[in-house]
Amino acid sequence: MKFSDIADEQWDELKPYLDTCLLPVTGMTGIEQPHEARVALEQLRDVMDLIEIPFKGRIVTYPALHYISDGTDQNIVSRVCRSLKETGFRFVIVLSAKNQEGLTSPEADLIIYPDQDGAAPTASSVSKAVVAMWNRGES
C-alpha cells in the first residue's frame, strides 16, 4: 500500500496491520541523463513490485530517496529509518534497484539491492528475506 492511499481517518485502524515500511532508494547522483533517470525509476518500480505485490496489506511504501551518493549522504537513510520507526513502524526495509553495496543502516531491518553484476534479486529470495525478517522480529 502506498503512503498516499491511506486517509488520515484510516491510519489508526490500519496501523496494527501495516507494521512494515518500504523505503525505496533510487541511488541517482544527479549526473544522469533524462533517459537514465527514467530507466533508474523503472528498475526501482520493478524491484519494488517484488515486495509490494506479494505482501500487500502489511507494507506501506514511502516516497523514494532519489539522490544519494557515497559517504555522508547515506546517513540520511539511517535518519529516515529511525524516524519511520519512531512513528510506529516495527520494521523498515530499504530497497534499491541499483547496487548499493556500501549502503548500511543499522536502523533498517532489511536492505535489498542487486548483486555486483547488477542482477536483480529474485522474487523467491526477496520473499524469503522478508519472511525471515518478520520471524526474527517475533522472537
Side-chain angles (χ1 to χ4, degrees), residues 100-127:
Q100 298 284 338
E101 232 176 75
L103 179 63
T104 60
S105 173
E107 291 81 5
D109 296 286
L110 182 61
I111 300 176
I112 299 172
Y113 54 83
D115 65 20
Q116 281 186 318
D117 298 327
T122 64
S124 174
S125 68
V126 169
S127 180

Side-chain angles (χ1 to χ4, degrees), residues 32-47:
E32 294 81 10
Q33 300 296 317
H35 68 278
E36 292 170 320
R38 177 186 48 79
V39 169
L41 291 172
E42 288 171 352
Q43 290 171 334
L44 183 62
R45 176 206 58 214
D46 293 345
V47 175

